[in-house]
Amino acid sequence: MNQKEVGELRRRWRPEKGAVSRIYGCFVNSGKKIISDLDEPLGVMPQEEAEKYLGLLKKTLSGTLGKNLIDIVFSTQQVADSEEHRLLSGLRSSGLQDREIRTAFYQKVIDALDMGDDNYLLLMASDAYDVPRRGKDGEADGSEEVFSYILCCVCPVKEGRAELGYFPGDNEFHYTAGQVVSQPELGFLFPAFDGRAANIYNALFYARKPEELHQEFIDAVFHTDPPMSAAEQRELFQEALSQALEESCSVTVARTVHERLAEQIIQHKESKDPEPLAVTANDIGGILRDCGVPEERVETFRETCGQRFGENSALSPANLIDAGKFEIRTAQATVSVDPECSYLVETRIIDGKKYILIPAEENVEVNGLPARFAEEP
């Protein structure tokens, strides 16, 4: 899926659209017991309550593709005959109305999911989207097909802050703390909406924290190889650079790689291209060659990336670097520089000692205190 397709579905999850008629789910305690079953029509809910439910589910379609939103790919064999795909397909085809199928899915999630000591709310809803056909002018022109799909999210439920509140039934004030539903920790869309049509070979998985994908959930619900988290991708990328380049991995090379990838991220954002930005080991190899890295080191880097990520794998630059930060760390100090000014950083060896040099212009501060250099008049 691309960003336009995700955005097109997100717009469905507004109360005024009337796309969703019922909310399903269950409230699970930290002991993996269902405390309450949810099967409620949105039409009879107060507007604020309906908006909250839809807002939680809509959150499952937010974040960055390749980072918070990750493709789950089923094998041909799974789609043809597998318990996990039959269960998801059954949820979808019944519009979540089959209680027996819902219960089987709840139990599969409850048995596998590790939410620590948190209670959680498992929410689900279905939608049948009459996909409008786009004319040459970009305007809607009739309909091509109905895209039926389900959204699911898992929201931690935590104790709220104790406060003094008024209880109309008792005509009294009481000091109490309620349980508050937090933003979704994870969730998914099934099937994927690729080319503005259903793709039953894919699902779109959501993780609020890219470094915590809850792979136990992925294995139980999708039974596929767990995707590599953004944090894992960055760590493996840095290892590949360090091990392949060895002495060629200078501050200048590291800075240039960061600058080039950051430029691509900025340009892609400005272009508003709906397709996710991706680079390959060959692309990064070109940057290394521009830095004067020997060809044998570049080839070693390419081979190392192939072993870690798969041959010719496309990687998101946003998962490989933090475009908003440029940091140099030593055993004694950490220096953070605005990425746009990273070119100011120099390295020198003076009297046999290594130094990091940054020009000090105006407004030098020490712990927030304006300070001058000792030799200044």
Side-chain angles (χ1 to χ4, degrees), residues 18-308:
V20 179
S21 59
R22 299 187 79 86
I23 296 291
Y24 301 92
C26 58
F27 176 38
V28 184
N29 68 13
S30 58
K32 294 182 176 289
K33 300 295 183 183
I34 295 179
I35 304 303
S36 176
D37 188 86
L38 183 65
D39 179 357
E40 299 290 338
L42 280 180
V44 300
M45 290 182 187
Q47 182 177 350
E48 295 82 0
E49 192 173 319
E51 288 176 351
K52 288 293 184 182
Y53 278 121
L54 292 176
L56 290 170
L57 285 158
K58 181 180 178 180
K59 191 69 177 177
T60 310
L61 297 171
S62 64
T64 304
L65 287 168
K67 194 169 187 177
N68 306 96
L69 297 171
I70 302 168
D71 278 327
I72 300 292
V73 182
F74 296 103
S75 68
T76 302
Q77 180 58 40
Q78 281 182 292
V79 175
D81 182 25
S82 70
E83 178 187 344
E84 59 274 6
H85 204 275
R86 278 196 301 272
L87 182 56
L88 292 172
S89 297
L91 291 168
R92 178 201 181 199
S93 62
S94 67
L96 299 176
Q97 295 180 31
D98 190 313
R99 184 180 181 85
E100 184 177 344
I101 297 177
R102 289 203 315 272
T103 302
F105 177 77
Y106 296 162
Q107 200 57 53
K108 181 181 284 285
V109 172
I110 292 168
D111 289 344
L113 183 59
D114 181 6
M115 292 293 284
D117 295 329
D118 284 342
N119 302 333
Y120 62 88
L121 179 63
L122 174 65
L123 279 180
M124 301 185 76
S126 67
D127 177 27
Y129 177 29
D130 196 7
V131 183
R133 184 172 58 247
R134 300 295 183 191
K136 293 182 179 180
D137 56 0
E139 296 297 322
D141 180 24
S143 174
E144 291 183 330
E145 66 170 279
V146 175
F147 172 59
S148 300
Y149 65 101
I150 59 173
L151 267 187
C152 171
C153 68
V154 176
C155 306
V157 178
K158 301 182 179 181
E159 291 291 336
R161 186 176 62 181
E163 294 180 340
L164 192 63
Y166 178 67
F167 290 73
D170 299 335
N171 197 28
E172 294 176 347
F173 287 89
H174 297 286
Y175 187 70
T176 183
Q179 297 196 60
V180 179
V181 179
S182 304
Q183 289 295 307
E185 189 75 14
L186 66 150
F188 69 88
L189 159 78
F190 176 81
F193 187 51
D194 288 332
R196 305 182 70 236
N199 177 3
I200 61 173
Y201 287 84
N202 285 61
L204 189 67
F205 180 76
Y206 166 79
R208 185 176 69 87
K209 300 176 182 177
E211 68 278 9
E212 297 178 15
L213 296 185
H214 283 281
Q215 293 182 351
E216 77 281 3
F217 178 95
I218 294 171
D219 184 58
V221 174
F222 306 114
H223 203 61
T224 60
D225 291 335
M228 192 178 294
S229 70
E232 289 174 313
Q233 289 181 42
R234 182 174 300 181
E235 182 179 352
L236 290 179
F237 172 68
Q238 291 173 343
E239 286 180 1
L241 276 176
S242 176
Q243 294 175 11
L245 271 59
E246 294 184 347
E247 70 278 359
S248 297
C249 192
S250 65
V251 172
T252 300
V253 169
R255 181 180 64 212
T256 302
V257 170
H258 185 280
E259 287 176 349
R260 294 277 194 91
L261 294 179
E263 286 172 5
Q264 291 188 35
I265 293 171
I266 293 170
Q267 291 171 3
H268 182 264
K269 185 176 181 179
E270 291 176 346
S271 72
K272 297 183 179 180
D273 185 348
E275 296 297 331
L277 175 63
V279 295
T280 65
N282 286 335
D283 296 328
I284 298 169
I287 298 174
L288 299 178
R289 291 187 187 92
D290 291 344
C291 295
V293 174
E295 186 61 37
E296 62 270 19
R297 294 295 181 193
V298 175
E299 183 59 24
T300 301
F301 168 76
R302 193 195 66 76
E303 291 175 355
T304 304
C305 283
Q307 295 166 2
R308 283 168 165 73

Side-chain angles (χ1 to χ4, degrees), residues 360-361 364 371-377:
E361 304 294 342
V364 175
R372 295 189 176 191
F373 284 75
E375 61 272 18
E376 286 186 304

